[in-house]
Amino acid sequence: MIDSNGWLQECKHVPSPFCDSRNEQTPISLLVIHNISLPPGQFGGPYIEQFFTGNLNPDEHPFFKVIHNMGVSAHCLIRRDGEVVQFVSFLDRAWHAGVSSFDGVEKCNDYSIGIEMEGSDFVAYTEAQYQSLVRLTKQLMAAYPAITLPRITGHQFIAPLRKSDPGLVFDWSKYRRELKRKDKSNG
Protein backbone atom coordinates (compact mmCIF):
# COMPACT_ATOMS: atom_id res chain seq x y z
CA MET A 1 0.00 0.00 0.00
CA ILE A 2 1.24 3.50 -0.89
CA ASP A 3 0.14 6.29 1.44
CA SER A 4 -0.93 9.80 0.42
CA ASN A 5 2.62 11.07 0.97
CA GLY A 6 4.05 8.62 -1.57
CA TRP A 7 5.58 6.17 0.91
CA LEU A 8 5.14 2.41 0.88
CA GLN A 9 3.69 0.97 4.03
CA GLU A 10 5.32 -2.07 5.63
CA CYS A 11 8.82 -1.54 4.29
CA LYS A 12 12.02 -0.02 5.64
CA HIS A 13 12.30 3.76 5.11
CA VAL A 14 15.76 5.31 4.84
CA PRO A 15 15.17 8.91 3.65
CA SER A 16 17.73 10.25 1.17
CA PRO A 17 18.68 13.91 0.84
CA PHE A 18 19.32 13.36 -2.87
CA CYS A 19 15.90 14.30 -4.20
CA ASP A 20 13.77 17.32 -4.90
CA SER A 21 10.20 18.26 -5.72
CA ARG A 22 8.53 17.23 -8.95
CA ASN A 23 6.64 19.60 -11.20
CA GLU A 24 3.05 18.91 -10.14
CA GLN A 25 1.84 19.27 -13.74
CA THR A 26 4.04 16.39 -14.94
CA PRO A 27 2.40 13.03 -14.20
CA ILE A 28 4.45 10.11 -12.94
CA SER A 29 4.42 7.94 -16.04
CA LEU A 30 7.57 5.81 -16.23
CA LEU A 31 9.17 3.06 -14.15
CA VAL A 32 12.92 2.55 -14.56
CA ILE A 33 14.64 -0.62 -13.35
CA HIS A 34 18.32 -0.38 -12.33
CA ASN A 35 20.88 -2.51 -10.55
CA ILE A 36 23.49 -1.72 -7.95
CA SER A 37 25.98 -3.58 -5.82
CA LEU A 38 28.53 -2.07 -3.46
CA PRO A 39 31.34 -2.79 -3.66
CA PRO A 40 30.77 -3.81 -7.30
CA GLY A 41 29.77 -7.47 -7.55
CA GLN A 42 29.28 -7.87 -3.79
CA PHE A 43 25.87 -8.19 -2.16
CA GLY A 44 24.62 -7.47 1.34
CA GLY A 45 25.97 -5.00 3.82
CA PRO A 46 25.15 -1.37 4.56
CA TYR A 47 26.88 0.30 1.64
CA ILE A 48 23.97 0.96 -0.72
CA GLU A 49 21.99 2.65 2.05
CA GLN A 50 25.08 4.66 3.00
CA PHE A 51 25.61 5.67 -0.64
CA PHE A 52 22.02 6.83 -1.15
CA THR A 53 22.10 8.85 2.08
CA GLY A 54 25.52 10.48 1.61
CA ASN A 55 27.18 8.48 4.36
CA LEU A 56 29.52 6.22 2.38
CA ASN A 57 33.00 6.16 3.90
CA PRO A 58 35.54 6.57 1.06
CA ASP A 59 38.20 4.77 3.11
CA GLU A 60 36.28 1.47 3.35
CA HIS A 61 36.91 0.41 -0.28
CA PRO A 62 38.94 1.91 -3.17
CA PHE A 63 35.81 2.19 -5.36
CA PHE A 64 34.07 4.27 -2.69
CA LYS A 65 36.68 7.03 -3.18
CA VAL A 66 35.31 7.48 -6.71
CA ILE A 67 31.58 7.52 -5.88
CA HIS A 68 31.12 8.75 -2.31
CA ASN A 69 30.23 12.33 -3.33
CA MET A 70 27.99 11.52 -6.32
CA GLY A 71 24.67 12.51 -4.72
CA VAL A 72 22.40 9.91 -6.26
CA SER A 73 19.35 8.05 -5.02
CA ALA A 74 16.51 5.83 -6.12
CA HIS A 75 12.98 5.59 -4.88
CA CYS A 76 13.44 1.98 -3.76
CA LEU A 77 15.98 -0.80 -3.48
CA ILE A 78 15.04 -4.48 -3.68
CA ARG A 79 17.62 -6.54 -1.82
CA ARG A 80 18.60 -10.10 -2.79
CA ASP A 81 16.19 -11.55 -0.19
CA GLY A 82 13.31 -9.47 -1.58
CA GLU A 83 13.33 -6.82 1.16
CA VAL A 84 12.19 -3.43 -0.14
CA VAL A 85 13.88 -0.29 1.19
CA GLN A 86 12.42 3.10 0.24
CA PHE A 87 14.66 6.18 0.08
CA VAL A 88 12.49 8.83 -1.63
CA SER A 89 8.75 9.46 -1.70
CA PHE A 90 7.26 8.54 -5.06
CA LEU A 91 5.85 12.07 -5.15
CA ASP A 92 9.38 13.50 -5.18
CA ARG A 93 12.06 13.29 -7.85
CA ALA A 94 14.85 10.85 -7.00
CA TRP A 95 18.18 11.36 -8.74
CA HIS A 96 18.53 7.97 -10.46
CA ALA A 97 18.38 8.35 -14.24
CA GLY A 98 20.88 11.11 -15.03
CA VAL A 99 21.04 12.24 -18.65
CA SER A 100 18.24 10.19 -20.15
CA SER A 101 15.38 10.07 -22.62
CA PHE A 102 12.28 7.90 -23.05
CA ASP A 103 10.04 8.06 -26.11
CA GLY A 104 11.67 11.35 -27.12
CA VAL A 105 11.18 13.03 -23.72
CA GLU A 106 14.38 13.91 -21.87
CA LYS A 107 15.07 14.21 -18.13
CA CYS A 108 13.43 10.95 -17.06
CA ASN A 109 13.88 11.80 -13.36
CA ASP A 110 11.13 14.40 -13.82
CA TYR A 111 8.43 11.82 -14.54
CA SER A 112 9.79 8.45 -13.45
CA ILE A 113 10.16 6.19 -10.45
CA GLY A 114 13.53 4.45 -10.08
CA ILE A 115 13.80 0.97 -8.59
CA GLU A 116 17.23 -0.51 -7.89
CA MET A 117 17.69 -4.26 -7.83
CA GLU A 118 20.61 -5.36 -5.68
CA GLY A 119 22.65 -7.15 -8.31
CA SER A 120 24.88 -6.77 -11.31
CA ASP A 121 24.65 -7.07 -15.07
CA PHE A 122 26.11 -10.58 -14.85
CA VAL A 123 24.48 -12.33 -11.86
CA ALA A 124 20.90 -13.61 -12.10
CA TYR A 125 18.38 -11.91 -9.86
CA THR A 126 16.66 -13.98 -7.18
CA GLU A 127 13.10 -15.26 -7.24
CA ALA A 128 12.43 -13.21 -4.09
CA GLN A 129 13.52 -10.08 -5.95
CA TYR A 130 11.21 -10.75 -8.89
CA GLN A 131 8.29 -11.41 -6.52
CA SER A 132 8.92 -8.15 -4.65
CA LEU A 133 9.39 -6.22 -7.90
CA VAL A 134 6.12 -7.54 -9.33
CA ARG A 135 4.24 -6.72 -6.13
CA LEU A 136 5.75 -3.22 -5.98
CA THR A 137 5.13 -2.60 -9.69
CA LYS A 138 1.46 -3.55 -9.37
CA GLN A 139 1.10 -1.13 -6.45
CA LEU A 140 2.78 1.64 -8.46
CA MET A 141 0.60 0.98 -11.51
CA ALA A 142 -2.52 1.19 -9.32
CA ALA A 143 -1.38 4.42 -7.64
CA TYR A 144 0.00 6.06 -10.80
CA PRO A 145 -2.14 4.88 -13.75
CA ALA A 146 0.08 6.56 -16.36
CA ILE A 147 2.63 3.80 -15.62
CA THR A 148 1.64 1.04 -18.03
CA LEU A 149 3.52 -2.01 -19.33
CA PRO A 150 5.01 -0.13 -22.31
CA ARG A 151 6.26 2.52 -19.87
CA ILE A 152 8.38 0.15 -17.78
CA THR A 153 11.99 0.07 -18.91
CA GLY A 154 15.59 -0.42 -17.90
CA HIS A 155 18.25 2.19 -17.31
CA GLN A 156 20.12 0.73 -20.30
CA PHE A 157 17.28 1.78 -22.60
CA ILE A 158 16.94 5.40 -21.43
CA ALA A 159 20.70 6.04 -21.31
CA PRO A 160 21.99 3.48 -23.83
CA LEU A 161 25.49 4.79 -24.41
CA ARG A 162 26.07 5.39 -20.71
CA LYS A 163 24.40 2.59 -18.78
CA SER A 164 23.93 -1.19 -19.06
CA ASP A 165 21.69 -2.00 -16.10
CA PRO A 166 19.71 -3.98 -15.16
CA GLY A 167 21.72 -6.04 -17.64
CA LEU A 168 21.16 -8.95 -19.96
CA VAL A 169 20.47 -11.27 -17.02
CA PHE A 170 17.29 -9.39 -16.11
CA ASP A 171 14.39 -11.60 -17.24
CA TRP A 172 12.02 -9.11 -18.88
CA SER A 173 9.75 -11.90 -20.18
CA LYS A 174 9.28 -13.41 -16.72
CA TYR A 175 8.71 -9.98 -15.16
CA ARG A 176 6.12 -8.89 -17.75
CA ARG A 177 4.39 -12.29 -17.64
CA GLU A 178 4.05 -12.03 -13.85
CA LEU A 179 2.73 -8.47 -14.13
CA LYS A 180 -0.03 -9.67 -16.47
CA ARG A 181 -0.99 -12.56 -14.19
CA LYS A 182 -4.10 -11.87 -12.16
CA ASP A 183 -3.90 -12.17 -8.42
CA LYS A 184 -5.59 -15.33 -7.14
CA SER A 185 -7.69 -13.17 -4.82
CA ASN A 186 -9.10 -11.37 -7.89
CA GLY A 187 -10.18 -14.60 -9.60
Side-chain angles (χ1 to χ4, degrees):
M1 191 85 186
I2 299 171
D3 71 21
S4 61
N5 293 316
W7 289 90
L8 280 170
Q9 299 304 295
E10 301 179 21
C11 85
K12 182 177 181 181
H13 296 161
V14 181
S16 172
F18 305 125
C19 62
D20 55 10
S21 298
R22 292 186 193 268
N23 177 338
E24 291 181 20
Q25 283 72 44
T26 304
I28 298 167
S29 62
L30 182 66
L31 179 61
V32 180
I33 311 297
H34 302 260
N35 76 36
I36 188 170
S37 58
L38 290 176
Q42 296 180 29
F43 308 133
Y47 302 118
I48 297 170
E49 289 181 20
Q50 291 173 3
F51 180 52
F52 286 160
T53 58
N55 295 307
L56 190 62
N57 182 343
D59 297 324
E60 286 198 40
H61 188 276
F63 184 67
F64 297 171
K65 289 181 185 343
V66 176
I67 66 166
H68 79 280
N69 281 328
M70 288 183 76
V72 299
S73 63
H75 290 92
C76 293
L77 166 69
I78 300 178
R79 294 198 169 276
R80 303 294 289 177
D81 64 2
E83 177 190 21
V84 177
V85 180
Q86 187 170 4
F87 297 94
V88 175
S89 163
F90 299 123
L91 300 179
D92 289 327
R93 180 173 45 201
W95 302 344
H96 63 94
V99 176
S100 54
S101 175
F102 182 83
D103 202 22
V105 181
E106 295 183 345
K107 298 181 182 178
C108 293
N109 284 339
D110 291 351
Y111 55 93
S112 69
I113 290 173
I115 306 297
E116 293 276 1
M117 303 285 281
E118 184 177 26
S120 76
D121 292 2
F122 310 107
V123 177
Y125 297 96
T126 68
E127 184 60 31
Q129 286 180 294
Y130 282 110
Q131 289 175 9
S132 291
L133 179 60
V134 167
R135 225 176 1 262
L136 175 54
T137 302
K138 286 181 177 184
Q139 291 175 334
L140 291 169
M141 291 171 83
Y144 308 104
I147 298 175
T148 59
L149 277 176
R151 297 192 61 82
I152 298 173
T153 191
H155 200 190
Q156 67 204 59
F157 303 118
I158 64 169
L161 300 177
R162 239 176 15 92
K163 295 296 180 177
S164 59
D165 57 312
L168 296 175
V169 297
F170 186 82
D171 192 340
W172 287 101
S173 295
K174 171 189 179 81
Y175 173 50
R176 291 180 192 281
R177 185 173 56 250
E178 291 299 317
L179 284 175
K180 292 176 184 176
R181 181 174 290 162
K182 293 187 185 229
D183 294 329
K184 291 179 183 175
S185 61
N186 292 341

